[in-house]
Amino acid sequence: MPRSYSNQSRRAAAERTRGRIVAAARRILRSRRGISEFTIDAVAREAKVARMTVYNAFRSKSRLLEAIFDDIARSGLPEVFPSSGNDAFEAIDSCLAAFAHFWESERLSIRRLRALAVLDREIGAAIAERENRRWEVTLELAARLVEERGAAIPRDRIDHFHIAASFECYDRLRIMGRTAEEAAQEIRSLCHRALGICGSKGCR
């Protein structure tokens, strides 16, 4: 029993350390410091731990990045993804609303990570993996729409839907002066047109 308690205590301490490191990394991403300062050394200093502690906690920079992405998603992406009971149109709009909320709440961090991806292969690979997952969501939503309407959607329209529902599209609209609400509405309109559902109950 004492040994079990000791193991649990060590695991809890390790999780707290991991949490401090991830929180430190996210503070750097949100700070006014340049993106070139996002390094393992900088994260260690911000978390007030040794450099080796970061490596011992995550084993590699790519695993640290995965933990950062997961933490950003947990804090910024609401649980509004549709259940299987929703129709395809409701599913599409629920997902678009979720992503718009996520992009707005974590806009600076996401933008900086994507900028870093140009210079850092590991960050680029981590972002590519996340984009692959978003592509799977795109395909699932398109498949549900096809099943309900009984008509195929051309591949180029699915591609346009995926592009319109991207962070880059949302961020560009915000840079051009749209409010968060306006950008979300415009993204939704672009996606509706891409999927050919304007004129249905979806185009409000």
Side-chain angles (χ1 to χ4, degrees):
M1 184 65 70
R3 178 176 296 178
S4 176
Y5 177 78
S6 177
N7 289 339
Q8 290 176 2
S9 297
R10 282 198 295 270
R11 282 196 294 269
E15 284 303 311
R16 287 194 295 272
T17 299
R18 286 172 60 89
R20 284 175 56 196
I21 293 168
V22 170
R26 292 191 62 184
R27 284 197 299 273
I28 292 174
L29 287 172
R30 291 192 297 262
S31 74
R32 295 179 180 274
R33 285 173 275 185
I35 59 173
S36 60
E37 289 193 29
F38 186 76
T39 63
I40 293 295
D41 286 335
V43 171
R45 286 195 300 271
E46 182 70 23
K48 295 180 173 57
V49 298
R51 188 173 192 272
M52 283 307 300
T53 300
V54 178
Y55 278 110
N56 288 337
F58 295 97
R59 303 299 178 189
S60 68
K61 186 177 181 181
S62 61
R63 289 189 180 181
L64 170 59
L65 290 168
E66 282 297 312
I68 293 168
F69 280 120
D70 288 342
D71 194 63
I72 289 174
R74 279 193 298 271
S75 63
L77 194 58
E79 294 295 332
V80 297
F81 284 97
S83 68
S84 58
N86 289 3
D87 65 27
F89 176 80
E90 291 172 340
I92 289 167
D93 273 9
S94 292
C95 284
L96 292 176
F99 279 119
H101 175 90
F102 177 43
W103 292 326
E104 184 62 31
S105 64
E106 297 293 339
R107 189 173 163 217
L108 180 58
S109 295
I110 295 171
R111 186 194 292 169
R112 287 184 167 177
L113 282 167
R114 288 175 180 263
L116 280 167
V118 177
L119 306 173
D120 191 301
R121 182 179 300 176
E122 286 184 287
I123 296 177
I127 288 178
E129 173 59 26
R130 300 287 162 157
E131 281 299 297
N132 287 338
R133 296 179 194 178
R134 193 171 68 82
W135 174 244
E136 291 174 0
V137 173
T138 297
L139 293 177
E140 179 182 349
L141 292 171
R144 289 179 64 173
L145 189 61
V146 168
E147 183 179 359
E148 289 189 12
R149 297 197 321 184
I153 301 174
R155 171 57 189 266
D156 63 334
R157 285 185 173 272
I158 297 175
D159 292 342
H160 295 165
F161 170 44
H162 184 69
I163 293 168
S166 67
F167 170 76
E168 287 79 7
C169 187
Y170 179 88
D171 192 44
R172 177 52 55 183
L173 288 170
R174 294 287 281 119
I175 290 171
M176 292 170 65
R178 308 299 200 279
T179 65
E181 182 179 359
E182 289 169 343
Q185 289 176 345
E186 194 155 343
I187 291 289
R188 189 179 70 171
S189 178
L190 287 169
C191 289
H192 286 180
R193 289 200 292 272
L195 292 173
I197 56 178
C198 274
S200 70
K201 67 175 183 177
C203 291
R204 294 189 272 266

